[in-house]
Amino acid sequence: MINITWLRTFCTLVDVGHFTRTAGRLYMTQSGVSQHVRELEEQLDTELLIRQGKQFSLTNAGEQLYREGGEILQRLSNLQQRIGEDPPYAGLVRLMSPGSVGLKLFPQLLTLQQQHPKLVIDYRFAPNSDIERALANHEIDLGFMTNVSDDETVSCKPMAQEALILVTPATTLEPSWEKLTELGFIDHPDGAHHAGMLLTANYDQFQHINDFDKKGFSNQIGLILEPVGRGIGFTVLPAHAVAAYQKPELIKSHHLPVAVSETLYLAVRRQHALSNRMHTVIDEVKRWL
């Protein structure tokens, strides 16, 4: 392995063309410059300079080392500069969130990326367990979860509240218990959890989601309301998912007497410094939510 200090001394010597001036530039003695060149020649087992009194010229090996070594030193300098930089609007940010909040955030983050093309957004929709695992395994930088993580390596802080909405076909004017029983439930990955939170607070009759006939299931957040819009059943979803539905005239959102919201948590790796670009995304998300 070529010693970088010796290589830098050699390349500076070739640039300057004089031992004494090279020593002054590198804050060394002239004998120190000569020693570095000799060390390189011994390590490479070849002459690099043809010495002619106080002047010198390069051997073929010296010319090759100067040319390729200079490129290496430049790349190292650029690497050091890039590592030292921490721009707020450039670089990759990897995020995960449940589908509902993702429908709200993803378009906004794409707008942010359009405004700052060097910022790259990698957004995945996933349930809480997958988000927790991805954070612990360093597969993402930021997560947005609706539960506090049990993993000791993951830190969660409350960030926002999202209302849960009872959604029926547009023809359902009043969501009585009898009407919900007649309709049946359109399930989704968080269906039992969301329905349990909202219906427990508003219907004395509710005991379990299995009180209703299951009329369908979808794990695609953008499709959960499709069977509801077709009159097949009802469901309970977070507000952002309802707002994103493309056929609002086919459904009816019911705001029940007891409002129930779900807390959204910002999840990061504990004791992990966040880059400026990650803070940019977090600040923008707080503003949007």
Side-chain angles (χ1 to χ4, degrees), residues 23 40 43 47 51 59 70 74 108-109 121 127 133-134 143 161 168 191 207 221-222 227 233 237 242 262 280:
L40 266 177
Q43 184 180 42
E47 288 188 349
R51 294 165 176 82
T59 65
Q74 185 61 51
Q108 300 281 12
L109 289 170
I121 300 298
R133 182 166 54 252
Q161 296 283 323
T168 68
Q207 295 183 0
I221 189 67
L237 279 175
V242 179
E262 189 172 48
T280 293

Tab-separated table of all heavy atoms in Angstrom, residues 23 40 43 47 51 59 70 74 108-109 121 127 133-134 143 161 168 191 207 221-222 227 233 237 242 262 280:
chain	number	residue	atom	x	y	z
A	23	ALA	N	9.467	21.924	0.168
A	23	ALA	CA	9.569	21.837	1.627
A	23	ALA	C	8.819	22.992	2.279
A	23	ALA	O	8.098	22.806	3.272
A	23	ALA	CB	11.044	21.841	2.044
A	40	LEU	N	9.460	6.164	-1.207
A	40	LEU	CA	8.597	5.692	-2.298
A	40	LEU	C	9.385	4.821	-3.271
A	40	LEU	O	8.905	3.765	-3.713
A	40	LEU	CB	7.993	6.884	-3.048
A	40	LEU	CG	6.617	7.384	-2.619
A	40	LEU	CD1	6.237	8.618	-3.436
A	40	LEU	CD2	5.551	6.311	-2.767
A	43	GLN	N	9.967	1.485	-1.715
A	43	GLN	CA	8.748	0.686	-1.640
A	43	GLN	C	8.363	0.125	-3.004
A	43	GLN	O	7.925	-1.022	-3.122
A	43	GLN	CB	7.595	1.536	-1.087
A	43	GLN	CG	6.299	0.749	-0.884
A	43	GLN	CD	5.179	1.612	-0.333
A	43	GLN	OE1	5.001	2.743	-0.752
A	43	GLN	NE2	4.419	1.072	0.609
A	47	GLU	N	13.318	3.628	-9.625
A	47	GLU	CA	13.647	5.041	-9.556
A	47	GLU	C	12.484	5.864	-10.109
A	47	GLU	O	11.889	5.513	-11.144
A	47	GLU	CB	14.920	5.348	-10.342
A	47	GLU	CG	16.186	4.830	-9.677
A	47	GLU	CD	17.433	5.328	-10.402
A	47	GLU	OE1	17.278	5.883	-11.523
A	47	GLU	OE2	18.537	5.167	-9.861
A	51	ARG	N	18.056	12.576	-11.012
A	51	ARG	CA	18.568	13.756	-10.329
A	51	ARG	C	19.732	14.348	-11.119
A	51	ARG	O	20.674	13.624	-11.496
A	51	ARG	CB	18.983	13.406	-8.907
A	51	ARG	CG	17.795	12.993	-8.024
A	51	ARG	CD	18.240	12.299	-6.756
A	51	ARG	NE	17.127	11.983	-5.871
A	51	ARG	CZ	16.329	10.915	-6.003
A	51	ARG	NH1	16.533	10.050	-7.011
A	51	ARG	NH2	15.351	10.698	-5.146
A	59	THR	N	11.424	9.702	-14.360
A	59	THR	CA	11.536	8.467	-15.119
A	59	THR	C	10.145	8.089	-15.643
A	59	THR	O	9.144	8.726	-15.304
A	59	THR	CB	12.071	7.341	-14.235
A	59	THR	OG1	11.090	7.069	-13.204
A	59	THR	CG2	13.399	7.707	-13.586
A	70	GLY	N	-1.749	11.514	-8.781
A	70	GLY	CA	-2.443	12.788	-8.682
A	70	GLY	C	-3.944	12.621	-8.741
A	70	GLY	O	-4.690	13.315	-8.027
A	74	GLN	N	-6.649	13.622	-5.804
A	74	GLN	CA	-7.795	14.479	-6.089
A	74	GLN	C	-9.086	13.833	-5.645
A	74	GLN	O	-9.968	14.482	-5.064
A	74	GLN	CB	-7.854	14.810	-7.580
A	74	GLN	CG	-8.951	15.804	-7.943
A	74	GLN	CD	-8.780	17.146	-7.257
A	74	GLN	OE1	-7.693	17.739	-7.307
A	74	GLN	NE2	-9.825	17.632	-6.593
A	108	GLN	N	-46.606	15.337	-1.707
A	108	GLN	CA	-45.954	16.541	-1.204
A	108	GLN	C	-44.435	16.416	-1.290
A	108	GLN	O	-43.723	17.367	-1.642
A	108	GLN	CB	-46.366	16.788	0.255
A	108	GLN	CG	-47.849	16.970	0.473
A	108	GLN	CD	-48.332	18.363	0.105
A	108	GLN	OE1	-47.616	19.122	-0.511
A	108	GLN	NE2	-49.560	18.683	0.468
A	109	LEU	N	-43.924	15.215	-0.981
A	109	LEU	CA	-42.479	15.004	-1.042
A	109	LEU	C	-41.979	15.016	-2.484
A	109	LEU	O	-40.849	15.442	-2.754
A	109	LEU	CB	-42.107	13.691	-0.351
A	109	LEU	CG	-42.247	13.716	1.174
A	109	LEU	CD1	-42.094	12.318	1.755
A	109	LEU	CD2	-41.208	14.650	1.789
A	121	ILE	N	-36.162	11.097	-3.040
A	121	ILE	CA	-37.113	10.526	-2.094
A	121	ILE	C	-37.364	9.065	-2.444
A	121	ILE	O	-37.760	8.741	-3.561
A	121	ILE	CB	-38.446	11.298	-2.111
A	121	ILE	CG1	-38.210	12.767	-1.722
A	121	ILE	CG2	-39.468	10.633	-1.193
A	121	ILE	CD1	-37.667	12.962	-0.324
A	127	PRO	N	-46.768	-1.709	6.893
A	127	PRO	CA	-47.345	-1.714	8.248
A	127	PRO	C	-46.279	-1.407	9.290
A	127	PRO	O	-45.075	-1.435	9.014
A	127	PRO	CB	-47.864	-3.154	8.393
A	127	PRO	CG	-47.040	-3.958	7.444
A	127	PRO	CD	-46.727	-3.056	6.295
A	133	ARG	N	-38.873	-2.934	11.753
A	133	ARG	CA	-37.786	-3.842	11.359
A	133	ARG	C	-36.815	-3.146	10.399
A	133	ARG	O	-35.590	-3.284	10.519
A	133	ARG	CB	-38.371	-5.095	10.713
A	133	ARG	CG	-37.336	-6.138	10.305
A	133	ARG	CD	-37.980	-7.481	10.004
A	133	ARG	NE	-39.051	-7.360	9.021
A	133	ARG	CZ	-40.344	-7.472	9.297
A	133	ARG	NH1	-40.734	-7.693	10.541
A	133	ARG	NH2	-41.255	-7.373	8.346
A	134	ALA	N	-37.345	-2.368	9.456
A	134	ALA	CA	-36.489	-1.683	8.495
A	134	ALA	C	-35.597	-0.647	9.176
A	134	ALA	O	-34.423	-0.485	8.821
A	134	ALA	CB	-37.343	-1.019	7.414
A	143	GLY	N	-39.135	6.727	9.729
A	143	GLY	CA	-40.385	5.981	9.677
A	143	GLY	C	-41.498	6.788	10.322
A	143	GLY	O	-41.253	7.606	11.218
A	161	GLN	N	-51.979	13.952	14.733
A	161	GLN	CA	-53.171	13.148	14.965
A	161	GLN	C	-53.920	13.003	13.648
A	161	GLN	O	-54.015	13.967	12.878
A	161	GLN	CB	-54.081	13.810	16.000
A	161	GLN	CG	-53.471	13.926	17.387
A	161	GLN	CD	-53.496	12.603	18.117
A	161	GLN	OE1	-54.441	11.831	17.999
A	161	GLN	NE2	-52.448	12.336	18.890
A	168	THR	N	-69.320	4.701	4.491
A	168	THR	CA	-70.361	3.825	3.959
A	168	THR	C	-70.616	4.201	2.497
A	168	THR	O	-70.125	5.237	2.020
A	168	THR	CB	-71.670	3.980	4.748
A	168	THR	OG1	-72.193	5.300	4.494
A	168	THR	CG2	-71.458	3.775	6.233
A	191	GLY	N	-57.907	-2.992	9.660
A	191	GLY	CA	-59.345	-2.860	9.779
A	191	GLY	C	-59.877	-3.134	11.175
A	191	GLY	O	-60.658	-2.342	11.726
A	207	GLN	N	-68.863	-5.278	20.106
A	207	GLN	CA	-67.970	-6.089	20.933
A	207	GLN	C	-66.721	-6.509	20.171
A	207	GLN	O	-65.623	-6.517	20.711
A	207	GLN	CB	-68.713	-7.333	21.437
A	207	GLN	CG	-69.869	-7.011	22.372
A	207	GLN	CD	-70.527	-8.258	22.902
A	207	GLN	OE1	-70.136	-9.394	22.594
A	207	GLN	NE2	-71.567	-8.073	23.713
A	221	ILE	N	-54.082	0.367	-0.158
A	221	ILE	CA	-54.763	1.483	0.480
A	221	ILE	C	-55.653	2.251	-0.483
A	221	ILE	O	-56.730	2.727	-0.130
A	221	ILE	CB	-53.730	2.433	1.147
A	221	ILE	CG1	-54.420	3.491	2.007
A	221	ILE	CG2	-52.825	3.068	0.106
A	221	ILE	CD1	-55.111	2.944	3.224
A	222	GLY	N	-55.250	2.333	-1.751
A	222	GLY	CA	-56.040	3.069	-2.714
A	222	GLY	C	-57.275	2.339	-3.207
A	222	GLY	O	-58.103	2.930	-3.909
A	227	PRO	N	-64.884	-1.236	-2.977
A	227	PRO	CA	-66.120	-1.981	-2.709
A	227	PRO	C	-67.139	-1.180	-1.910
A	227	PRO	O	-68.348	-1.380	-2.049
A	227	PRO	CB	-65.631	-3.213	-1.935
A	227	PRO	CG	-64.292	-2.851	-1.413
A	227	PRO	CD	-63.700	-1.905	-2.399
A	233	GLY	N	-70.239	-2.806	1.213
A	233	GLY	CA	-70.046	-2.832	2.658
A	233	GLY	C	-69.558	-1.490	3.165
A	233	GLY	O	-69.468	-0.513	2.415
A	237	LEU	N	-61.470	3.985	8.148
A	237	LEU	CA	-60.145	4.335	7.630
A	237	LEU	C	-59.672	5.665	8.210
A	237	LEU	O	-60.491	6.509	8.590
A	237	LEU	CB	-60.187	4.470	6.101
A	237	LEU	CG	-60.115	3.199	5.256
A	237	LEU	CD1	-60.304	3.555	3.789
A	237	LEU	CD2	-58.770	2.497	5.454
A	242	VAL	N	-59.262	8.455	3.198
A	242	VAL	CA	-60.595	8.802	2.690
A	242	VAL	C	-60.504	10.000	1.751
A	242	VAL	O	-61.114	10.027	0.682
A	242	VAL	CB	-61.553	9.098	3.857
A	242	VAL	CG1	-62.930	9.482	3.329
A	242	VAL	CG2	-61.654	7.896	4.799
A	262	GLU	N	-56.018	8.714	15.605
A	262	GLU	CA	-54.849	7.846	15.726
A	262	GLU	C	-53.606	8.730	15.758
A	262	GLU	O	-53.468	9.655	14.946
A	262	GLU	CB	-54.807	6.893	14.534
A	262	GLU	CG	-53.767	5.800	14.632
A	262	GLU	CD	-53.940	4.792	13.504
A	262	GLU	OE1	-54.083	5.226	12.336
A	262	GLU	OE2	-53.939	3.585	13.767
A	280	THR	N	-34.805	18.382	6.903
A	280	THR	CA	-35.636	19.096	5.936
A	280	THR	C	-36.949	18.362	5.722
A	280	THR	O	-38.030	18.969	5.752
A	280	THR	CB	-34.891	19.218	4.586
A	280	THR	OG1	-33.754	20.069	4.759
A	280	THR	CG2	-35.812	19.793	3.514
